[in-house]
Amino acid sequence: SQQGEEDPQALSIQEGENATMNCSYKTSINNLQWYRQNSGRGLVHLILIRSNEREKHSGRLRVTLDTSKKSSSLLITASRAADTASYFCATDAYAAGNKLTFGGGTRVLVKP
Amino acid sequence: DVKVTQSSRYLVKRTGEKVFLECVQDMDHENMFWYRQDPGLGLRLIYFSYDVKMKEKGDIPEGYSVSREKKERFSLILESASTNQTSMYLCASSLVGAPGLAGGIYNEQFFGPGTRLTVL
């Protein structure tokens, strides 16, 4: 079963706008990671946030984690056409034997 | 940079054939993984390995086996390919953290480009 569920499933925005996507999960986690996948390619790691962290930044990316609500959000600011991709959250949970469990992903289209 | 390579980008096989998917990483990572990716289902873990000759079942191991004879190479084997194994297969590796160890913390996983397998 999927541990992480992304919302929305798809998102279409204009270049320069911000893109926000959310991830909900079911069991306690050790950390949560976000990955990007360009069409037909492998996944690329974006950012990792540990369970004792609430917010993390990396360039134009901002990730928040609310363990009480079992949810995380990924914000991409000032989006660019090159940000067009699918974004996946992945949880690392003790209950899952520390294996990463991926959600279904959010498809983001940034229109120029 | 870490590089994870997969033997084929596209592969077409017939039902009943034995299929080998090869994955090689060049950064001396202990952990290696095989996932399949299907629309709407995200990535599902088939098998993983945290050391040479060690393997652990993932969430969907049925119909698959793996081999890890050398640290850098992790092979996925479809013993008798079926049409429901048509999918994108992704290999990944990570540096540390054997699964299940108390306090184990996963590092990021590095992915190969994927193999799109079609079974006719």
Side-chain angles (χ1 to χ4, degrees), chain A residues 5-67:
Chain A
E5 299 283 348
E6 283 95 339
D7 169 60
Q9 290 188 335
L11 185 59
S12 180
I13 56 174
Q14 293 293 139
E15 206 165 23
E17 293 180 342
N18 295 342
T20 300
M21 59 211 84
N22 304 295
C23 171
S24 60
Y25 56 91
K26 297 173 185 172
T27 61
S28 296
I29 60 170
N30 183 38
N31 66 65
L32 186 145
Q33 305 179 30
W34 286 92
Y35 288 79
R36 182 187 74 229
Q37 183 181 35
N38 292 94
S39 179
R41 308 292 295 185
L43 277 71
V44 174
H45 180 266
L46 295 176
I47 197 165
L48 180 153
I49 186 165
R50 302 199 188 284
S51 59
N52 60 355
E53 297 175 313
R54 292 296 167 258
E55 188 171 314
K56 206 161 182 181
H57 296 256
S58 176
R60 294 183 295 111
L61 305 179
R62 173 178 170 251
V63 169
T64 62
L65 180 64
D66 187 334
T67 52

Side-chain angles (χ1 to χ4, degrees), chain B residues 40-112:
Chain B
L41 296 178
L43 276 72
R44 293 180 291 167
L45 182 64
I46 305 171
Y47 267 96
F48 62 96
S49 168
Y50 55 89
D51 202 353
V52 175
K53 297 191 185 295
M54 303 299 290
K55 60 184 179 183
E56 294 282 345
K57 292 180 180 178
D59 298 318
I60 51 164
E62 296 78 19
Y64 303 94
S65 62
V66 290
S67 172
R68 194 164 180 203
E69 296 296 319
K70 293 184 178 181
K71 192 174 186 179
E72 67 271 17
R73 187 179 297 269
F74 192 37
S75 303
L76 180 69
I77 303 153
L78 286 66
E79 296 290 343
S80 177
S82 63
T83 55
N84 63 12
Q85 291 179 309
T86 291
S87 187
M88 169 73 97
Y89 289 87
L90 292 165
C91 174
S93 69
S94 69
L95 182 60
V96 297
L101 286 182
I105 296 175
Y106 255 51
N107 275 355
E108 63 184 277
Q109 292 189 11
F110 294 85
F111 282 82

